[in-house]
Amino acid sequence: MKDKIEQIKMEFEEKIKGKSLKEIKELETYFIGRKGKVTELFKMLKTLPKMQRREFGAEINELKQFIEKNISEQVATLERKEKIRKLKEESIDVTLPGIKLHTGNLHILSQTILEVEKIFLSMGFDVMVGPEIEKDYYNFEALNIPEFHPARDMQDTFYLAKKILLRTQTSPIQIHAMEKYKPPIRIIAVGRCYRRDAVDSSHFPIFHQVEGLVVDRKVTFANLKGTLAEFTREMFGKDVKVRFTPSYFPFVEPGAETSITCVLCGGKGCPVCKYTGWLEMGGSGMVHPNVLRGVGIDPEVYQGFAFGWGIERIAMIKYRIPDIRMFYQNDLRFLKQFKG
Amino acid sequence: MLVSIKLLKMIIPFNYTAEEVGNKLSMLGLEVEGIRKVKHKFENIITGKVLEIQDIPNTKLKKTLIDTKTEKLQIVTTATNLKSNDVVPVALPHSKVANGTEILERDFKGMISQGMLCSYAEIGLDPEILSSEEKEGIFTFPLDTPIGKKVEDVLPIDDDYLELSLLPDRADAFYLVGLARWIEIIKAREEKRRADFAQFEDHSSINIAGETPIPIYIEDKTLCPFYSGRLIKNVTVSKSSLSLRQKLFMLRIRPINNVVDITNFVLRFYGQPLHTFDADTIQKEVIIRRAKKGERIKTLDEVERKLTEDNLVIADERGPIAIAGVMGGYETSVTEKTKNVFLESAYFSPHCIAKSARSLGIVTDASDIFERGADPLLPPKGSIIASNLISKEAKGIPAKENVVSFITPAEPVNLRLSRVEKILGERIDKEYVKKYFDFEGFDYKDKGEQLEVIAPSFRRDIEKEIDLIEEIVRMKGYNEFGEALIVDKLKAAKRTDYEDFIWKLKDKLVKIGLDEVQTVSLTSESLLNLIGYNEKDSVIKLLNPLSSDMSLMRPLLLSTLLPILERNKKMGNTDIAMFEIGKVFKKEEGFKETDELGILLSGKRTEKNYLKVEFAYSFPYLKGIFEDIFSFCNIAPRYVPEQLTWMHPYQSAGIYLDKERIGYIGRINDDILEKIGVIDKVFYGAVNVEKLMQHCNEKIQFKPFSLYPPVKRDIAIVVDEDTPEEDVRKAIISAAPPELKKIVLFDLYKGTPLPPNKKNLAYSLEFSSVHKTLKGEDINKFIDQLEKVIKEKVNGKLRKE
């Protein structure tokens, strides 16, 4: 019996060497399966005398455990190897390009408008809108530009009918605002305007403006300057300054053309600012008493300021866009440059 | 407006460079856009007098003998406009003309030409400012021009010009003396003294002889507060003298004849518009009145014009002889034959002239000044200046003027110092205010807390207190004021709900993966024809379009999106997923503007890739986007097949919310795309944004979801091919228990082994309960019922898995 046990152990040790997973399963059956060699030994045990049974029983058990342990160890090793092989097969070139879905962006005008609105909202300005088709009254007359006034020539107007036109500026929203609300009023309004301008790199019949209007008891020229200076710093950077030059817009007085430090040359002078160091942004001034009186606000009690800057102008300067027509050509190679 | 620095310096000395003057003027509100520097480009061209002209037989050539003071030259020319005694530019041998060509002695078939006579172009003059006579053939100088002089010394060609862009409130700077006054203000401000405007006044007296026999009547003194008429007898109308010609040259006035040149000169130099009539053509009297309806006049430009009551006219016994302040009449104009001149120097109401000029569509230098506000005290001086010039240049003898005047002394304007502080946010000391007014030559009386101010009569922009406050800012300097932020009670600032919604919607669309575009809101007849838009009557037309391609207000976004599609495809941008939110316009209860959302897809969502995965845009993809948007807006509209001229007839649907059509989606008709050179399929949908907005403000509230694993079941249903899928889906849902949480169509099949005209729809159903784990048996009951429901509702057959 002892020899048999020894013999089986040697046989097992011999056979397990270099076997595959499948072969090991077969070995398992061959040695410790229901009809395996070790199982046979147990059966033979019954034929032995009682004394020997215990002795050999323990030895056969030992043999069985030895085989089981070896098999499971061997299986684990082989399985680990197999897993590594499989993973290796799945290896990829991580430098391959990623695959992208087309994503969307807001038009750069919208992005600019959002930024403008954000700054003014943070300064306590409500955002209003107004119609693009306007009555002559709102676009001109109520803004102190009566019929036949020479200032009408400053803005070539598209007409739809007698006294009905496409607004040439967002300033009519000032009148709507003052008709709708009592002072204090602090609003901006952004919108599309139309002028009968011949098309070139800086003129287009359609453009956008941001209009601002503040009316209260103690709103001063200094407040106008402070507000536009703050906006400019937020929009273009803290070193960019605002300059006021006297100008004429019938609905404000004192009226000013507002310029900012040329952001391309830092004010030193370059072709973009025509060597002046300044870039014109739009008009501003103190609301004319005639305009206040026209909407039933007493100019002796209330006063205010207003301004109107060009959105395209802001975007062209901020993002260095060379031609206003690009906004409306909507070439995807243009639009997709402005991620947002 | 171009202003000669040379001429300016003749009336006001200054040491600034042209650029410095430009900058200083700009900072006072007279915008100088640039400096134009002109320098003569020719060399060695002198003035010479034509002594003899002879035709050379059998040629078109002429032989001339030219006196250049130092020598007499024989010069051959082809010109036909020469007369003896004409003074002309002579290019001597080895000279250069303006284009750089060198002139040499030349042999014309045995005839030596010792140089060349020059045209205006050869001396490089701007034709805009030359008389028609000067532009013809050889240029001729005034007859009193000295000979043997360099041309650049005779004509003030070398000069710097300010390119001035004046705003309508600067009527006081539309003429040379006016601009000189502003330079005087700059000097006064720098030297801290009162401006001296007297230096620009003409103090010459006038020698008069006799009366002006033409009486003057003014019908409405508000329209014409001042009128002076003066007879000037025995004039010789001819070319202006050299000294006047030189001034006209610097003022860029095109010469006509000495009398007319003088009126133009006085206008552009002193700022007084004048008019001269041939006195012998005026019948009896001069009446300043409104035109009567139906009256006509042939104006100086030889155009017959119909007048209305908007026009103020100068009339005689027979009818209008000039449109007051705008343009003179042709019949009474001064010509070479005129012997006696009637000189008008008047002041007309700005509003009246603006209305008159605009109603006729004429703009003249005179109307420009009158409508902006001329100096009401200037006409008497203007009459004297012009009369003296006419007597000098045209040898006329002025008579005593006839004057009708309703001019009243100017009212002072009160300025409260408290008001200055209130508007500007800064107290300005009274003594400073006075100083500022001194710089500008204003008169004032100190009344303690107020100043009573009288501005000079040419400052028509000073009418009210606020105008004076503006002058304080102008003189102190716009940039010399401090900046202050508004200090106020805090409140939440916000957008309107509608605007807020639009931004959220845009954000959602961008998240979905669409690019926003912004197109022009103007479209054209041809684009609407291309689309086949048939509600033409409701399209709004511009009365004065800039061009035909932008002549209509777009009635639908597609009309302005198509050119964007076309352009992008041409530029190789093949994958397009874009949207626009913009106004569309319609004639409806007047003019109506509404916001529309348009979404256009073409090409693929994916870039071409090595995994060969692609996602091509299609109708279902477009519909998915719209469903996303609708769910975002808390609405669930229906889709009803419909046919639109610009859409594929069997791939388009109207979108209905209750019974209202709020938009449509589908595929754009290939015929349209073919015409703009697009070969890919294009999918398009549009909805009215205001309709989307109606339910969007419903608050989102948490709904409980199941914490137990769901049960999934796949089913397949065979129905007739033309049964709408929606009906099948609805049938399933109608039979399902509330535990049905999701239904997904995952397969759609036609063809063998199915019988013809049948289709197979395969759905994946997902059930879950918030109360318990569902078991297969819970679902089986429903599946059993479903077979019957499908049979009844859509005549279909359930194929159980």
Side-chain angles (χ1 to χ4, degrees):
Chain A
M1 195 65 179
K2 200 172 173 100
D3 292 348
K4 265 201 167 134
I5 292 173
E6 204 51 36
Q7 202 187 329
I8 290 172
K9 192 177 179 185
M10 280 170 67
E11 187 188 353
F12 172 76
E13 282 177 332
E14 192 56 37
K15 281 192 169 160
I16 192 124
K17 281 177 193 158
K19 291 287 186 290
S20 71
L21 254 171
K22 197 181 159 209
E23 288 165 333
I24 289 172
K25 290 281 171 198
E26 283 165 13
L27 274 189
E28 195 176 13
T29 318
Y30 178 77
F31 285 103
I32 52 175
R34 247 190 302 151
K35 289 177 180 170
K37 282 198 160 178
V38 179
T39 321
E40 291 302 314
L41 281 185
F42 277 117
K43 287 176 188 162
M44 282 168 65
L45 209 56
K46 290 171 194 162
T47 62
L48 291 184
K50 212 172 186 178
M51 279 301 282
Q52 286 184 345
R53 254 190 245 173
R54 179 175 293 175
E55 189 195 332
F56 288 113
E59 279 190 32
I60 297 168
N61 249 332
E62 211 172 284
L63 174 66
K64 191 185 175 192
Q65 279 165 12
F66 171 79
I67 290 174
E68 278 172 352
K69 192 178 165 232
N70 262 283
I71 284 180
S72 74
E73 273 175 15
Q74 199 65 18
V75 165
T77 310
L78 285 172
E79 275 177 354
R80 203 163 50 241
K81 277 190 183 158
E82 176 67 12
K83 204 168 198 175
I84 289 169
R85 192 188 57 80
K86 269 195 179 157
L87 285 173
K88 240 186 186 159
E89 266 177 16
E90 287 172 0
S91 86
I92 56 162
D93 177 359
V94 293
T95 66
L96 279 173
I99 291 174
K100 294 175 197 83
L101 292 178
H102 292 299
T103 52
N105 294 288
L106 279 180
H107 193 283
I108 185 59
L109 285 175
S110 287
Q111 291 184 40
T112 308
I113 291 167
L114 267 182
E115 204 171 341
V116 168
E117 289 187 356
K118 188 184 92 188
I119 296 168
F120 281 109
L121 281 163
S122 78
M123 289 200 276
F125 285 70
D126 287 327
V127 180
M128 266 191 77
V129 285
E132 292 176 17
I133 297 177
E134 268 294 3
K135 293 191 176 110
D136 182 284
Y137 173 79
Y138 288 98
N139 197 72
F140 290 125
E141 229 162 289
L143 291 167
N144 204 23
I145 315 173
E147 206 181 355
F148 307 120
H149 193 288
R152 290 203 176 198
D153 298 351
M154 292 160 72
Q155 299 171 5
D156 224 338
T157 311
F158 286 120
Y159 282 91
L160 304 181
K162 197 173 156 60
K163 302 245 175 192
I164 295 185
L165 47 82
L166 293 176
R167 68 175 172 207
T168 59
Q169 48 193 357
T170 39
S171 308
I173 304 175
Q174 288 185 26
I175 306 301
H176 291 297
M178 290 189 282
E179 281 180 351
K180 198 167 169 189
Y181 306 111
K182 288 200 176 87
I185 293 169
R186 195 190 309 170
I187 59 129
I188 60 156
V190 183
R192 199 173 260 217
C193 308
Y194 300 79
R195 280 187 204 172
R196 212 171 162 276
D197 282 339
V199 177
D200 63 29
S201 65
S202 52
H203 295 89
F204 201 70
I206 290 166
F207 61 97
H208 294 75
Q209 274 189 341
V210 52
E211 187 80 14
L213 173 73
V214 179
V215 180
D216 205 346
R217 288 170 193 269
K218 288 176 182 167
V219 180
T220 66
F221 185 63
N223 292 146
L224 164 64
K225 296 189 70 178
T227 303
L228 284 178
E230 179 74 359
F231 170 72
T232 300
R233 285 189 291 265
E234 284 296 311
M235 195 74 198
F236 297 102
K238 63 177 174 18
D239 298 328
V240 181
K241 294 194 165 47
V242 184
R243 181 181 76 161
F244 289 72
T245 32
S247 190
Y248 175 67
F249 306 96
F251 42 102
V252 286
E253 188 164 17
E257 173 63 46
T258 29
S259 315
I260 62 166
T261 319
C262 177
V263 292
L264 281 101
C265 61
K268 287 187 207 76
C270 68
V272 173
C273 60
K274 292 183 190 160
Y275 300 98
T276 61
W278 297 96
L279 298 168
E280 283 188 7
M281 299 304 296
S284 68
M286 299 302 291
V287 181
H288 199 284
N290 289 356
V291 174
L292 293 172
R293 219 172 279 124
V295 290
I297 294 175
D298 183 352
E300 285 292 314
V301 179
Y302 291 103
Q303 56 191 50
F305 67 75
F307 58 86
W309 281 18
I311 295 288
E312 279 82 352
R313 184 90 179 134
I314 293 172
M316 287 170 86
I317 289 168
K318 182 154 181 159
Y319 301 99
R320 311 205 174 171
I321 297 166
D323 192 323
I324 194 170
R325 286 168 285 204
M326 289 183 173
F327 292 109
Y328 298 97
Q329 283 163 349
N330 294 291
D331 191 310
L332 289 172
R333 291 166 301 176
F334 171 78
L335 298 178
K336 288 194 179 287
Q337 288 183 27
F338 308 102
K339 300 188 190 340
Chain B
M1 190 167 116
L2 288 172
V3 180
S4 152
I5 294 272
K6 215 176 219 175
L7 190 59
L8 209 47
K9 281 194 168 171
M10 285 179 183
I11 55 171
I12 178 159
F14 56 84
N15 293 323
Y16 316 124
T17 64
E19 286 78 7
E20 282 166 351
V21 174
N23 196 27
K24 285 170 194 287
L25 287 169
S26 290
M27 290 310 287
L28 283 184
L30 292 83
E31 198 192 344
V32 176
E33 290 184 318
I35 311 289
R36 187 185 292 185
K37 299 188 184 237
V38 185
K39 188 106 181 74
H40 73 279
K41 293 199 181 81
F42 54 83
E43 276 172 32
N44 216 9
I45 300 181
I46 61 169
T47 54
K49 184 175 273 183
V50 180
L51 295 179
E52 288 170 18
I53 316 168
Q54 278 177 11
D55 287 343
I56 302 173
N58 304 324
T59 67
K60 285 180 176 172
L61 303 174
K62 289 183 176 69
K63 184 180 82 178
T64 64
L65 188 62
I66 306 293
D67 182 1
T68 65
K69 199 170 177 189
T70 49
E71 52 187 337
K72 293 192 171 57
L73 302 173
Q74 174 179 293
I75 295 178
V76 178
T77 179
T78 54
T80 53
N81 67 320
L82 287 183
K83 298 186 294 293
S84 285
N85 290 328
D86 277 351
V87 181
V88 293
V90 183
L92 300 172
H94 304 293
S95 62
K96 263 188 196 150
V97 294
N99 68 7
T101 310
E102 193 178 353
I103 303 302
L104 298 169
E105 216 173 71
R106 250 183 88 182
D107 188 339
F108 286 89
K109 295 172 190 165
M111 190 80 65
I112 299 291
S113 185
Q114 299 169 285
M116 189 178 87
L117 306 182
C118 302
S119 70
Y120 79 88
E122 281 149 346
I123 46 178
L125 300 179
D126 179 356
E128 288 277 304
I129 58 166
L130 301 180
S131 68
S132 51
E133 188 192 334
E134 287 168 337
K135 283 187 278 188
E136 199 181 294
I138 300 303
F139 184 83
T140 53
F141 291 96
L143 290 170
D144 62 338
T145 305
I147 57 173
K149 297 276 183 195
K150 288 180 173 172
V151 165
E152 65 269 32
D153 292 341
V154 173
L155 283 181
I157 301 172
D158 298 343
D159 204 348
D160 293 347
Y161 294 88
L162 300 173
E163 292 179 356
L164 214 60
S165 160
L166 287 177
L167 293 164
D169 65 333
R170 284 275 69 85
D172 60 350
F174 268 76
Y175 46 95
L176 202 82
V177 164
L179 196 64
R181 286 194 199 111
W182 277 101
I183 293 174
E184 168 63 10
I185 292 172
I186 291 170
K187 288 171 70 179
R189 187 173 170 228
E190 285 176 5
E191 293 160 15
K192 304 213 178 330
R193 59 168 172 83
R194 191 174 165 80
D196 165 27
F197 297 142
Q199 57 178 311
F200 308 117
E201 304 245 340
D202 182 301
H203 297 289
S204 53
S205 55
I206 180 167
N207 295 317
I208 50 170
E211 302 279 327
T212 298
I214 301 167
I216 293 159
Y217 303 100
I218 295 176
E219 263 187 14
D220 186 340
K221 64 179 182 185
T222 60
L223 303 182
C224 177
F226 184 93
Y227 195 97
S228 149
R230 184 197 302 274
L231 183 68
I232 303 174
K233 282 208 242 175
N234 293 328
V235 294
T236 310
V237 178
S238 64
K239 225 161 129 170
S240 290
S241 70
L242 179 64
S243 80
L244 182 56
R245 181 68 190 90
Q246 288 169 335
K247 289 191 178 108
L248 298 176
F249 189 89
M250 288 185 277
L251 288 165
R252 299 183 57 82
I253 297 170
R254 188 198 296 255
I256 295 167
N257 61 49
N258 50 7
V259 172
V260 175
D261 290 351
I262 286 164
T263 61
N264 286 334
F265 167 73
V266 173
L267 165 65
R268 298 278 286 276
F269 194 88
Y270 291 100
Q272 177 59 48
L274 302 168
H275 186 62
T276 48
F277 298 89
D278 183 330
D280 300 321
T281 63
I282 298 177
Q283 297 296 309
K284 201 176 159 191
E285 61 193 7
V286 157
I287 310 162
I288 298 93
R289 60 165 169 84
R290 280 181 191 278
K292 292 166 194 154
K293 211 179 163 193
E295 276 186 324
R296 289 167 167 272
I297 184 172
K298 187 174 172 186
T299 42
L300 275 177
D301 52 2
E302 297 184 48
V303 177
E304 183 87 21
R305 296 179 191 273
K306 260 197 201 159
L307 301 174
T308 67
E309 284 167 1
D310 286 342
N311 304 114
L312 186 70
V313 295
I314 316 299
D316 67 5
E317 203 181 39
R318 286 173 306 181
I321 56 173
I323 304 168
V326 180
M327 197 183 270
Y330 180 76
E331 307 296 342
T332 52
S333 65
V334 171
T335 67
E336 307 272 309
K337 291 175 193 140
T338 301
K339 289 283 162 261
N340 302 306
V341 164
F342 180 77
L343 172 70
E344 163 195 301
S345 186
Y347 175 76
F348 301 112
S349 129
H351 182 72
C352 165
I353 299 304
K355 197 168 178 180
S356 174
R358 274 168 178 67
S359 73
L360 293 167
I362 318 176
V363 178
T364 60
D365 286 343
S367 73
D368 254 352
I369 289 200
F370 276 130
E371 68 177 24
R372 284 162 173 77
D375 179 352
L377 301 188
L378 191 59
K381 294 175 204 161
S383 178
I384 292 172
I385 294 166
S387 302
N388 284 341
L389 279 170
I390 292 172
S391 68
K392 190 175 150 214
E393 284 274 330
K395 303 177 188 70
I397 302 153
K400 185 169 176 261
E401 61 179 341
N402 278 345
V403 170
V404 181
S405 172
F406 303 100
I407 298 285
T408 50
E411 291 286 318
V413 181
N414 271 335
L415 176 74
R416 293 165 292 174
L417 292 162
S418 59
R419 186 77 183 157
V420 176
E421 183 178 358
K422 195 171 179 237
I423 296 284
L424 301 181
E426 197 170 302
R427 175 151 184 89
I428 312 239
D429 196 84
K430 184 161 70 179
E431 293 313 307
Y432 279 102
V433 174
K434 286 181 180 174
K435 248 183 211 149
Y436 298 146
F437 290 158
D438 278 335
F439 299 160
E440 294 202 281
F442 291 7
D443 292 324
Y444 49 83
K445 273 188 204 150
D446 190 337
K447 300 258 165 177
E449 266 305 292
Q450 290 187 20
L451 291 178
E452 262 183 31
V453 184
I454 295 184
S457 59
F458 48 81
R459 288 297 297 267
R460 303 308 309 281
D461 55 328
I462 308 298
E463 290 178 333
K464 290 180 178 159
E465 188 178 40
I466 192 71
D467 303 325
L468 291 171
I469 294 175
E470 183 172 66
E471 294 316 306
I472 292 170
V473 181
R474 198 191 300 277
M475 284 299 114
K476 181 174 158 79
Y478 272 62
N479 299 300
E480 300 305 312
F481 285 83
E483 293 171 1
L485 286 173
I486 304 164
V487 180
D488 201 357
K489 282 173 234 153
L490 289 175
K491 67 166 186 62
K494 55 184 181 292
R495 296 190 175 92
T496 61
D497 289 346
Y498 184 67
E499 281 301 294
D500 223 31
F501 169 69
I502 299 241
W503 282 119
K504 282 183 190 154
L505 187 58
K506 282 187 180 182
D507 184 50
K508 181 79 192 166
L509 289 157
V510 168
K511 282 176 184 161
I512 288 172
L514 305 173
D515 280 309
E516 188 198 9
V517 295
Q518 294 214 9
T519 66
V520 295
S521 13
L522 303 172
T523 188
S524 68
E525 187 85 34
S526 64
L527 269 170
L528 291 186
N529 285 340
L530 170 74
I531 294 172
Y533 187 79
N534 40 27
E535 291 165 54
K536 293 261 168 72
D537 291 345
S538 64
V539 176
I540 302 170
K541 290 187 177 73
L542 300 188
L543 295 182
N544 56 340
L546 200 58
S547 59
S548 63
D549 63 335
M550 288 198 255
S551 57
L552 307 173
M553 303 300 294
R554 64 177 171 200
L556 73 175
L557 290 182
L558 184 62
S559 69
T560 51
L561 284 170
L562 279 180
I564 305 303
L565 168 75
E566 178 184 1
R567 185 188 163 87
N568 273 298
K569 289 276 184 184
K570 275 200 181 118
M571 292 291 163
N573 306 324
T574 45
D575 296 334
I576 293 170
M578 62 190 191
F579 76 94
E580 177 169 16
I581 294 178
K583 301 261 192 219
V584 292
F585 305 86
K586 248 183 194 173
K587 266 187 223 163
E588 198 180 292
E589 302 153 18
F591 297 112
K592 199 177 166 193
E593 50 188 273
T594 37
D595 283 302
E596 189 173 78
L597 160 66
I599 299 178
L600 187 146
L601 305 174
S602 180
K604 298 184 178 69
R605 175 81 203 261
T606 40
E607 288 177 351
K608 199 171 181 183
N609 62 67
Y610 52 89
L611 292 184
K612 315 279 183 291
V613 175
E614 41 174 62
F615 198 135
Y617 293 126
S618 58
F619 183 97
Y621 186 87
L622 178 64
K623 190 173 170 187
I625 292 176
F626 273 96
E627 282 171 342
D628 255 1
I629 297 301
F630 295 147
S631 135
F632 175 71
C633 300
N634 294 313
I635 53 173
R638 291 176 301 121
Y639 300 82
V640 181
E642 66 172 22
Q643 296 191 347
L644 276 176
T645 46
W646 56 89
M647 300 299 262
H648 187 298
Y650 302 105
Q651 289 191 15
S652 98
I655 301 173
Y656 287 80
L657 194 59
D658 301 323
K659 281 179 182 160
E660 192 183 11
R661 184 174 177 277
I662 61 165
Y664 59 95
I665 61 167
R667 176 172 154 192
I668 293 179
N669 196 326
D670 286 344
D671 295 347
I672 291 171
L673 297 175
E674 203 175 292
K675 282 179 198 146
I676 57 169
V678 174
I679 42 171
D680 303 334
K681 288 177 201 163
V682 177
F683 302 92
Y684 182 71
V687 282
N688 180 322
V689 175
E690 280 147 46
K691 305 288 181 212
L692 291 183
M693 158 87 176
Q694 288 166 357
H695 300 277
C696 76
N697 276 337
E698 281 169 20
K699 272 191 202 142
I700 298 175
Q701 303 236 306
F702 170 78
K703 292 186 197 90
F705 54 89
S706 171
L707 298 173
Y708 306 100
V711 175
K712 289 190 181 174
R713 195 64 68 88
D714 288 349
I715 57 167
I717 291 165
V718 176
V719 287
D720 288 345
E721 195 180 353
D722 55 6
T723 306
E725 186 274 338
E726 189 179 30
D727 294 357
V728 180
R729 197 161 12 107
K730 280 186 171 163
I732 298 171
I733 293 166
S734 71
E739 285 78 15
L740 176 66
K741 298 295 182 216
K742 206 167 163 187
I743 169 166
V744 175
L745 176 72
F746 70 90
D747 193 33
L748 173 61
Y749 182 76
K750 291 176 212 175
T752 48
L754 292 176
N757 308 326
K758 292 282 180 194
K759 64 182 172 190
N760 181 62
L761 302 167
Y763 293 93
S764 177
L765 309 178
E766 191 178 305
F767 301 85
S768 66
S769 160
V770 289
H771 306 296
K772 58 171 186 174
T773 304
L774 291 180
K775 295 194 190 97
E777 303 89 79
D778 298 327
I779 309 304
N780 289 344
K781 212 174 113 195
F782 153 65
I783 300 292
D784 292 342
Q785 286 171 359
L786 192 57
E787 190 163 6
K788 204 176 129 204
V789 174
I790 291 296
K791 175 81 196 144
E792 276 170 10
K793 291 203 169 165
V794 291
N795 193 26
K797 211 174 144 194
L798 180 72
R799 299 163 71 200
K800 282 186 256 184
E801 295 292 303

